[in-house]
Amino acid sequence: MKRDFICLKDYSVQEVQNILNLAKQVKHNPRHGSDYLKGKSLTLIFQKPSNRTRVSFETGIHQLGGNVIYLSPDDISLGKREPTADVAKTLSRYVNGIVARVYKHQDILDLAKYATVPVINALSDLSHPCQALADLVTVQERFGRLKDVRMAYVGDGNNMVNSLLLAASRVGMHISVATPKGYEANAEYVALAQECARMTGSKIVLTHDPREAVSGAQVVYTDTWVSMGQEEESQKRLKDFAGFQVDAALAALADKNYIFMHCLPAHRGQEVAEDVIDGPHSVIFDEAENRLHVQKAIMIFLYTFKHL
Ligand code: CP
Ligand code: NVA
């Protein structure tokens, strides 16, 4: 039976922990698992641009002994040139895995449904689970634990915070989310996170007040106000997010040893002030590096699982 990595809701508390432990091993010993993908090819289907995701997956697949085939938006025209089901079934005859970055989350679900090989979500309009797990690795490194760490997320209720909610709730981390009215996190993800939080002890707070969210936080996280695919809404969004910038005054409300996180790409002067993102509390490049290690761990997990 194959296993996909589409959404953290499909992963138990224990499985998330196993992947995080594996990521730690992989990071400390880059040769760990160097033959797990030997003789295997994975294809990357990207409908949107990428720096971190593409390069970390390509590097990680090579480090695990595998081969990569990158398909750009022009190569595949997912859902336009031929039905997504046909793409999934065809690719399954050639390759051993599909890593996909899509606009509509439904496209990822369709790929997973029709492919007979593992499908990994490299970002959709609803979630970004690889980034959220890399962020857990980063928080754990900084604080030596995840349980009871207090994270504040300030900004758009987008794919990033949806996945952070699920990630935090699985490891007993507390998360306060401050969004403008009308830009709240996805209600289904919030409900799933709340359900898991009851088991792990996470506290989830949803507010429209950035100051309330950030007060006493050990982690302050933000993301772009205009995600890929929302460019036409730029002007309205920049207005609606006034007052939600993570600047030095807001960050001053956080714990004095707080860390600043951002999945990148960042827009200095919009969601975050330059002196915060480039200041001493920022761990943005640790997050970027941890994408590589955690994705290697995810792939080892998926291909080990396949052989159980
Ligand atoms: N954080 C992240 O996914 O970056 P890219 O869009 O560059 O892949
Ligand atoms: N929310 C952002 C994340 C980029 C990694 C986007 O979807 O564009």
Side-chain angles (χ1 to χ4, degrees):
M1 192 181 104
K2 70 144 177 166
R3 189 82 188 266
D4 303 304
F5 186 77
I6 304 294
C7 178
L8 292 173
K9 79 174 160 62
D10 307 324
Y11 279 72
S12 69
V13 167
Q14 189 56 53
E15 285 173 335
V16 167
Q17 202 50 61
N18 291 347
I19 292 172
L20 296 178
N21 292 342
L22 200 49
K24 200 167 153 189
Q25 281 178 45
V26 163
K27 183 165 182 173
H28 289 115
N29 177 10
R31 290 197 46 76
H32 182 88
S34 59
D35 57 357
Y36 272 91
L37 293 181
K38 198 168 166 204
K40 290 188 166 53
S41 286
L42 277 81
T43 186
L44 267 53
I45 303 178
F46 276 44
Q47 288 188 317
K48 299 172 175 174
S50 170
N51 168 6
R52 282 147 289 273
T53 308
R54 177 178 174 184
V55 178
S56 57
F57 263 110
E58 291 209 14
T59 305
I61 291 166
H62 282 299
Q63 289 181 358
L64 294 177
N67 176 53
V68 182
I69 301 159
Y70 174 76
L71 296 170
S72 74
D74 291 341
D75 291 316
I76 198 116
S77 298
L78 195 66
K80 289 188 200 133
R81 188 161 176 266
E82 57 187 328
T84 303
D86 290 2
V87 171
K89 288 177 191 177
T90 303
L91 290 175
S92 298
R93 300 290 180 108
Y94 301 136
V95 297
N96 306 94
I98 299 172
V99 179
R101 168 167 282 200
V102 300
Y103 285 99
K104 293 195 301 276
H105 191 73
Q106 188 58 46
D107 284 337
I108 278 273
L109 296 176
D110 289 344
L111 283 171
K113 179 173 171 190
Y114 294 107
T116 55
V117 297
V119 173
I120 299 176
N121 179 357
L123 180 144
S124 74
D125 57 352
L126 267 187
S127 61
H128 199 5
C130 294
Q131 180 71 52
L133 285 197
D135 295 336
L136 290 186
V137 172
T138 309
V139 173
Q140 184 146 33
E141 283 172 352
R142 290 287 164 158
F143 295 100
R145 66 183 209 283
L146 292 166
K147 179 111 184 90
D148 293 329
V149 172
R150 298 183 301 276
M151 174 183 278
Y153 175 94
V154 178
D156 190 17
N158 61 12
N159 46 9
M160 199 56 253
V161 77
N162 290 340
S163 289
L164 286 172
L165 278 160
L166 292 186
S169 69
R170 268 153 181 72
V171 295
M173 194 162 85
H174 309 311
I175 179 165
S176 293
V177 178
T179 59
K181 289 201 173 107
Y183 292 96
E184 291 83 5
N186 178 277
E188 190 195 330
Y189 280 72
V190 169
L192 287 165
Q194 282 167 336
E195 190 186 317
C196 188
R198 281 193 281 279
M199 207 165 60
T200 60
S202 294
K203 287 187 205 112
I204 297 175
V205 175
L206 306 173
T207 172
H208 297 300
D209 180 359
R211 295 170 62 88
E212 180 192 342
V214 170
S215 288
Q218 295 161 289
V219 180
V220 180
Y221 200 118
T222 189
D223 183 19
T224 182
W225 293 338
V226 185
S227 284
M228 291 178 277
Q230 299 173 332
E231 291 77 7
E232 283 177 11
E233 299 169 24
S234 277
Q235 271 194 325
K236 178 171 167 32
R237 284 177 163 266
L238 295 194
K239 261 192 252 150
D240 292 348
F241 282 87
F244 281 77
Q245 182 183 92
V246 178
D247 58 13
L250 185 63
L253 300 174
D255 184 271
K256 68 175 180 2
N257 296 319
Y258 88 97
I259 57 172
F260 172 78
M261 299 182 79
H262 191 310
C263 60
L264 305 179
H267 308 81
R268 288 163 175 81
Q270 293 185 16
E271 72 271 10
V272 60
E274 197 173 319
D275 55 349
V276 172
I277 191 167
D278 298 321
H281 295 273
S282 179
V283 296
I284 54 175
F285 299 111
D286 291 340
E287 294 178 77
E289 180 188 334
N290 285 329
R291 293 291 302 276
L292 170 67
H293 308 303
V294 93
Q295 287 159 192
K296 285 171 74 180
I298 291 165
M299 290 186 282
I300 292 171
F301 178 90
L302 291 177
Y303 289 93
T304 311
F305 183 84
K306 195 177 168 194
H307 297 295
L308 284 178

